[in-house]
């Protein structure tokens, strides 16, 4: 039998391994992730860097570095500084870190948010949490239009007679909320809701609308509106409110504060690791 015939009858050999170029391509997704992490570590280390610096650090072409940075920027993990073309760590990193930090200081974060919102609205802004059947104000900032500089920080206020308290009640688990409604609800002004069934109906409306109001229910002449703040697990952990005198914040005007309040609360919630669905 000729050699050519023997070759045709021989058992086929195993398929050859792919060339190195193809193997490298197959691993590229993992390699891209590794490079993206290197970009974040570089920015964390140096504070800021341009595309050329990033490409040099990674040992890749500038176009590759640009694609990596663009992908990270889309997720808000990096952001560009003005016209200079430099990149820094983005706010998305804070959100990811917030999801893993159970002991994040809400009051400290809230102070900055309250101050910015108070300056924008001109009214007093507070953040309150529920504690042992009452609301406790943990952060406060005064706007330029605030009539008085009454300090509510640390003050315990009733849940059923304040906008923040109604938000906290509305999103409270039923086994914790119901016992509170069965207790005597104190009347602070003629407008305070003290009938449990009426309050339950109002709390259902709060969950539907996403905000709560208080029109002279705690103090005569004081109006307020509040929205929920969510923690990393999605639960409502606090409420943010804006308040002012009734003559400047009438019923028809106070609901206009809901949108900026909700935006500020959503921003603060994201810092705490909350990812809306």
């Amino acid at each position: 039998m000729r050699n050519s015939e023997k070759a045709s009858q021989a058992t086929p050999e195993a398929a050859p391994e792919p060339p190195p170029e193809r193997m490298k391509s197959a691993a590229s997704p993992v390699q891209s992730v590794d490079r993206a992490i290197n970009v974040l570590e570089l920015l964390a280390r140096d504070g800021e860097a341009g595309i050329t610096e990033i490409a040099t650090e990674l040992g890749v072409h500038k176009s590759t570095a640009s694609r990596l940075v663009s992908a990270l920027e889309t997720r808000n993990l990096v952001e560009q500084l003005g016209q200079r073309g430099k990149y820094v760590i983005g706010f998305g990193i804070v959100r990811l870190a917030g999801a893993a930090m159970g002991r994040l200081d809400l009051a400290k974060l809230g102070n900055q948010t309250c101050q910015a919102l108070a300056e924008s609205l001109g009214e007093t802004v507070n953040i309150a949490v529920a504690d042992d059947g009452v609301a406790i104000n943990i952060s406060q900032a005064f706007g330029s239009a605030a009539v008085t500089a009454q300090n509510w920080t640390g003050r315990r206020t009733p849940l059923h007679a304040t906008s923040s308290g109604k938000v906290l009640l509305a999103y409270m688990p039923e086994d914790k909320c119901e016992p509170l409604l069965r207790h005597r609800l104190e009347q602070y002004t003629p407008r305070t809701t003290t009938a449990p069934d009426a309050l339950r109906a109002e709390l259902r409306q709060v969950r539907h609308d996403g905000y709560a109001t208080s029109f002279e229910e705690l103090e005569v002449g004081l109006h307020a509106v509040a929205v929920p703040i969510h923690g990393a697990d999605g639960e409502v952990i606090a409420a943010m409110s804006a308040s002012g005198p009734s003559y400047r914040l009438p019923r028809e005007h106070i609901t206009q504060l809901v949108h900026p309040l909700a935006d500020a609360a959503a921003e603060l919630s994201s810092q705490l690791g909350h990812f809306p669905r």
Side-chain angles (χ1 to χ4, degrees), residues 17-236:
E17 292 185 2
E21 294 79 8
R22 290 180 61 188
M23 293 178 67
K24 184 176 180 181
S25 175
S28 62
V30 174
Q31 187 179 53
S32 294
V33 172
D34 186 62
R35 286 173 172 171
I37 293 173
N38 286 337
V39 171
L40 296 175
E41 290 180 340
L42 165 65
L43 296 179
R45 183 191 71 202
D46 295 348
E48 61 180 45
I51 293 297
T52 300
E53 298 166 86
I54 294 172
T56 301
E57 177 81 11
L58 299 183
V60 300
H61 194 274
K62 286 174 63 176
S63 62
T64 300
S66 182
R67 287 195 297 271
L68 285 169
V69 170
S70 179
L72 292 170
E73 189 175 19
T74 299
R75 296 288 185 153
N76 296 319
L77 299 177
V78 304
E79 59 184 56
Q80 195 169 25
L81 292 176
Q83 304 278 334
R84 295 187 299 159
K86 297 282 188 177
Y87 288 86
V88 297
I89 291 292
F91 185 69
I93 290 292
V94 179
R95 295 181 63 194
L96 294 175
M101 296 174 63
R103 293 190 294 270
L104 203 58
D105 189 347
L106 173 60
K108 186 178 295 184
L109 285 174
N111 283 336
Q112 295 179 345
T113 303
C114 285
Q115 190 60 54
L117 188 59
E119 290 175 1
S120 173
L121 299 180
E123 305 295 349
T124 302
V125 176
N126 284 278
I127 293 177
V129 297
D131 181 67
D132 196 25
V134 297
I136 296 182
N137 292 278
I138 61 172
S139 294
Q140 177 176 270
F142 299 104
S144 58
V147 177
T148 62
Q150 182 177 1
N151 188 358
W152 292 78
T153 306
R155 181 171 170 180
R156 298 162 66 87
T157 56
L159 293 171
H160 69 286
T162 59
S163 59
S164 290
K166 292 177 189 177
V167 166
L168 296 171
L169 274 176
Y171 293 96
M172 190 178 292
E174 186 176 357
D175 61 338
K176 293 184 178 180
C177 178
E178 274 302 314
L180 297 176
L181 298 185
R182 295 192 191 106
H183 287 295
R184 176 180 172 273
L185 300 176
E186 186 174 349
Q187 186 165 14
Y188 294 89
T189 75
R191 296 183 181 274
T192 307
T193 301
T194 58
D197 286 343
L199 185 56
R200 289 187 185 96
E202 189 172 353
L203 297 181
R204 286 193 295 270
Q205 192 65 42
V206 170
R207 289 190 291 271
H208 177 270
D209 296 338
Y211 68 90
T213 57
S214 174
F215 298 114
E216 299 187 285
E217 296 177 49
L218 179 64
E219 293 183 4
V220 173
L222 179 66
H223 285 183
V225 59
V227 297
I229 296 172
H230 298 267
D233 59 0
E235 297 295 321
V236 173

